[in-house]
Amino acid sequence: MTVSAPESAPETRVRREHRTPPRKPRPAPTARGFSPLRIVGMAFVWLFTALNVVILYWLVTAAFKTPIEIFNKPFHLPYTWFERGDPFRNLRYAWENAGFGNAFLVTVALVAVSSVVIVAVAAPAAYALTRLGVRGSNPMTNFFAIGMGIPFQTLVIPLFIGMADLGLTNNLFGMFLVYVALSLPFTVFLLTGFFKSLPDELEEAAAIDGASPFRTFFTVMLPLARGGLITALILNAIGLWNETLLAIVFLTDNANFTLARALFTLYGAASYQSEYGGLIAGVAIVVLPMLVMYILLARRIITGLTLGAGK
């Protein structure tokens, strides 16, 4: 019986050097060559972005201009109020004369409480529909999806009649109830995607350790869904901050006005008095806080929505 001699180290090294390298992955179709559709899409995106930047520039500069400057020199930098030593005159007019100071506090409190309660109610509902095997959970989830498709404008008159019978019109608590009720379908539907994406193993391990469904939800699953909860909270806050129609219908007392409702009232007074600088300053007070909030939290919002939709 013959025994073959072991290969020498130089021969092994030569064989290793002649191995076929791994095949490189093919580039994406849009990354190869010329793509007219991609160029048109990018041009449209940049055009839309530039248009929004121009509008934002005009809004911010017009908030510091006199009415003459607004109409005669719409894209010039403001100078009249700065020369007179009163650059914040328009902002002060909107804040004090139009009642934006009180409206700002009312809006912050109402939006903050409503957003927290909406998420606090929607999270257990979404968890029960997706993780507890509740009978009829799929039809109930579809029911919430149908609720998203109903325009709330069609519910304004029935809501007003019902709230008037209960004495909850021109009442911040009634406004809070309306905000929560109309925002729940979207929030529940959004959070179901996050709870479906969570791993089953952790829930099973908690059940083996003797944890009740209540404890499992609060100690295990809820921290894992933190990204979805924050996304839902931010989206609800932005939507409620900009809500106008319900505030116009349900609120009539100046002390209960939200910022959007106060801006609607300011529009009539400013148009009559030609206080267009104060009117635009009021628009800036309403728009800029949510714009800054979105810019700071845009990455978290997009990531949260992507995770919820991708699972």
Side-chain angles (χ1 to χ4, degrees):
M1 182 177 181
T2 59
V3 179
S4 58
E7 295 181 354
S8 61
E11 294 178 356
T12 305
R13 188 179 301 108
V14 171
R15 291 185 179 181
R16 289 178 179 175
E17 291 177 354
H18 288 284
R19 288 180 179 177
T20 304
R23 182 175 60 87
K24 295 182 179 180
R26 294 182 179 179
T30 56
R32 293 181 298 175
F34 177 78
S35 176
L37 184 61
R38 183 178 180 220
I39 293 177
V40 171
M42 291 297 296
F44 177 78
V45 170
W46 282 109
L47 180 63
F48 182 76
T49 303
L51 178 62
N52 281 272
V53 171
V54 170
I55 294 175
L56 179 62
Y57 166 79
W58 177 86
L59 175 66
V60 174
T61 56
F64 298 93
K65 293 181 179 180
T66 62
I68 297 177
E69 289 180 283
I70 293 174
F71 290 102
N72 293 341
K73 299 178 180 179
F75 296 105
H76 287 69
L77 293 175
Y79 63 90
T80 301
W81 292 126
F82 285 86
E83 289 180 351
R84 297 179 183 179
D86 193 11
F88 301 104
R89 185 265 178 194
N90 293 333
L91 295 173
R92 190 174 62 254
Y93 173 86
W95 190 264
E96 297 176 356
N97 298 352
F100 271 49
N102 179 73
F104 185 85
L105 297 177
V106 170
T107 304
V108 170
L110 183 61
V111 169
V113 174
S114 300
S115 301
V116 171
V117 172
I118 290 167
V119 175
V121 174
Y127 177 75
L129 291 174
T130 55
R131 313 294 299 196
L132 297 183
V134 178
R135 180 178 299 179
S137 59
N138 289 333
M140 292 179 66
T141 304
N142 295 332
F143 179 76
F144 280 103
I146 293 173
M148 294 172 51
I150 300 176
F152 77 91
Q153 292 85 350
T154 61
L155 305 175
V156 170
I157 295 178
L159 272 176
F160 181 82
I161 295 174
M163 299 292 282
D165 292 338
L166 296 174
L168 293 176
T169 56
N170 193 29
N171 186 296
L172 291 180
F173 179 71
M175 203 68 198
F176 160 78
L177 294 178
V178 172
Y179 280 171
V180 172
L182 295 181
S183 301
L184 276 177
F186 165 76
T187 310
V188 171
F189 188 80
L190 176 67
L191 292 180
T192 52
F194 289 96
F195 283 109
K196 284 181 181 179
S197 67
L198 299 180
D200 299 331
E201 291 77 8
L202 296 176
E203 194 173 16
E204 295 172 355
I208 293 174
D209 292 338
S212 63
F214 182 83
R215 183 179 179 184
T216 302
F217 169 70
F218 280 100
T219 61
V220 178
M221 309 305 286
L222 201 60
L224 293 177
R226 182 174 61 248
L229 299 178
I230 295 176
T231 300
L233 185 68
I234 296 172
L235 292 178
N236 277 292
I238 293 175
L240 296 180
W241 182 278
N242 297 321
E243 197 286 317
T244 305
L245 178 60
L246 295 175
I248 293 174
V249 173
F250 286 95
L251 300 177
T252 57
D253 191 357
N254 292 341
N256 296 329
F257 278 2
T258 61
L259 275 176
R261 181 67 176 88
L263 179 62
F264 182 79
T265 304
L266 175 62
Y267 172 76
S271 300
Y272 179 76
Q273 301 174 3
S274 298
E275 275 289 349
Y276 298 107
L279 177 60
I280 296 176
V283 175
I285 293 174
V286 176
V287 171
L288 292 182
M290 288 299 105
L291 178 63
V292 172
M293 179 179 176
Y294 183 82
I295 292 174
L296 295 177
L297 302 176
R299 183 181 299 274
R300 180 178 290 275
I301 295 174
I302 295 173
T303 302
L305 290 175
T306 304
L307 289 175
K311 299 292 183 180

